[in-house]
Amino acid sequence: MDTIVLKFGGSSVADNEKLQTVAKKIIKLYDDEKNIVVVVSAQGKMTDELIKQAEELSLKPNKREMDVLLSVGEQITTAKLAILLNYLGYDAISLTGWQAGIHTNSDNQKAKIENIDLTRIEQELEKGKIVVVAGFQGIDENNNITTFGRGGSDTTAVALSAVLKAQKCYIYSDVDGIYTADPNKISNPKKLKNISYEEMKELSSEGAKVLHDRCVEIGEKYNVPIVTESTFNNNPGTEITRKLENSGAKSIVKKDVSRISIIGYGISSTDEILEKILKIANKNGLEIFNIDFTKTKISIVFKEIVKNEILEEFHKELIK
Ligand code: ASP
Ligand code: MG
């Protein structure tokens, strides 16, 4: 039977009503005869809230204790989701990071996964259970709880997909994919059908905070197709794979007020994009301070602030 991993982010599991939507998605896929491993984040803003409370107690809370505290957020979600799935007539079991066999180094608050012992997860899948794993956490060699850094549940999901040899890793959130630009900055960016790991890494390094950085690296290393979809609609999302195609400019990001980056494999192999950039810059009286190229990215720092109207113009002219 095929195995798939589904990860639901904090806004997707924020309350009981949202958990119902999540449960429906899970059940539909389970009924399609799949082994399902679900990874969940803490509910809504719970992690922020716990950090705030700890910082009210201490200016510099102990990192080990912070990991004990923050890991609770994810655990609450696993239990609630398992309770609901059981109520709906589906056998589900919640597992903490350590119960799921996720072993890490001892770098509290930014621990790295060292290995995953699948014994328990496989036993539960064998019994036909839906396995719900707490994201963002593991255990070190001295049985201390560790966490992976903000947004780290994505990494749990992709790492589990890698060791389970899952068909795909689905990352569900309140956005349904990767866009040609930030929808908060320009008026109608388009959703990409697919993008490569390499392009995704460039996007993250330019500040597009879509996925936890490490999860894309793990996906690339172990060849896990990552699909980002919305929890709240059935639109096709964006698939992240190894496939690289020379497809011109795919996405544009404004990292800070005067730096824009255009991402797309092979983008700097012709002068076409650069010429267009210079033309638009010229027309808008923007002076270039610095340009950087990689095979997949052109980044330009201007001497002036790039207003969102100009970003819009770049987007219109550069992205097909
Ligand atoms: N709950 C953690 C955070 O808010 C981890 C995650 O959501 O991925 O950063
Ligand atoms: Mg996230």
Side-chain angles (χ1 to χ4, degrees), residues 2-52:
D2 292 328
T3 301
I4 54 174
V5 174
L6 316 175
K7 183 258 172 177
F8 294 92
S11 57
S12 299
V13 294
D15 54 38
N16 285 354
E17 203 185 316
K18 290 190 170 145
L19 285 173
Q20 298 278 355
T21 307
V22 165
K24 266 192 216 132
K25 282 232 172 220
I26 296 170
I27 286 170
K28 186 167 176 297
L29 290 159
Y30 181 84
D31 287 345
D32 279 350
E33 302 222 359
K34 302 232 194 270
N35 281 323
I36 308 269
V37 174
V38 181
V39 173
V40 288
S41 286
Q43 295 186 279
K45 299 259 169 262
M46 179 172 297
T47 308
D48 293 321
E49 189 53 42
L50 291 172
I51 293 172
K52 194 178 133 232

Side-chain angles (χ1 to χ4, degrees), residues 261-276:
S261 298
I262 299 97
I263 281 129
Y265 181 69
I267 194 166
S268 51
S269 59
T270 69
D271 291 338
E272 192 199 327
I273 298 282
L274 187 60
E275 276 165 13
K276 282 190 185 168

Side-chain angles (χ1 to χ4, degrees), residues 67-263:
D67 279 355
V68 176
L69 180 67
L70 298 189
S71 66
V72 174
E74 269 65 16
Q75 280 189 53
I76 292 173
T77 320
T78 59
K80 285 188 181 171
L81 185 57
I83 288 168
L84 175 60
L85 286 165
N86 288 333
Y87 170 75
L88 295 170
Y90 288 78
D91 235 350
I93 184 165
S94 65
L95 297 177
T96 62
W98 66 266
Q99 289 174 321
I102 300 173
H103 297 275
T104 71
N105 64 12
S106 302
D107 205 358
N108 284 102
Q109 303 223 272
K110 49 176 187 331
K112 280 195 175 156
I113 298 176
E114 289 185 334
N115 63 75
I116 301 180
D117 175 354
L118 283 179
T119 314
R120 180 71 186 272
I121 292 184
E122 280 175 347
Q123 275 169 6
E124 302 300 342
L125 289 175
E126 201 94 327
K127 294 182 208 157
K129 294 200 184 186
I130 298 168
V131 179
V132 186
V133 179
F136 161 74
Q137 57 179 270
I139 196 162
D140 77 358
E141 57 179 356
N142 297 314
N143 292 345
N144 293 303
I145 294 172
T146 54
T147 68
F148 308 164
R150 300 307 306 269
S153 296
D154 295 338
T155 294
T156 303
V158 178
L160 282 175
S161 305
V163 287
L164 286 160
K165 302 196 170 44
Q167 222 182 9
K168 279 182 190 175
C169 179
Y170 292 88
I171 308 273
Y172 289 99
S173 69
D174 49 7
V175 287
D176 55 4
I178 315 295
Y179 280 76
T180 54
D182 182 348
N184 296 317
K185 289 183 187 151
I186 75 151
S187 54
N188 48 13
K190 277 195 287 213
K191 187 168 42 187
L192 297 164
K193 266 210 186 92
N194 42 57
I195 190 164
S196 64
Y197 301 117
E198 189 170 324
E199 290 162 327
M200 256 332 272
K201 285 192 292 185
E202 292 284 19
L203 270 177
S204 311
S205 77
E206 291 304 318
K209 283 275 158 268
V210 198
L211 294 172
H212 194 233
D213 294 359
R214 192 142 341 120
C215 97
V216 181
E217 287 165 26
I218 296 173
E220 181 172 35
K221 184 162 170 201
Y222 296 96
N223 234 336
V224 179
I226 304 170
V227 185
T228 64
E229 286 187 3
S230 164
T231 307
F232 305 108
N233 63 45
N234 292 312
N235 301 339
T238 304
E239 181 154 359
I240 309 161
T241 63
R242 191 174 299 285
K243 196 167 86 191
L244 280 173
E245 35 193 20
N246 254 315
S247 48
K250 269 199 169 160
S251 192
I252 179 164
V253 204
K254 189 166 104 175
K255 189 171 187 179
D256 52 39
V257 291
S258 54
R259 178 185 174 100
I260 65 156
S261 298
I262 299 97
I263 281 129

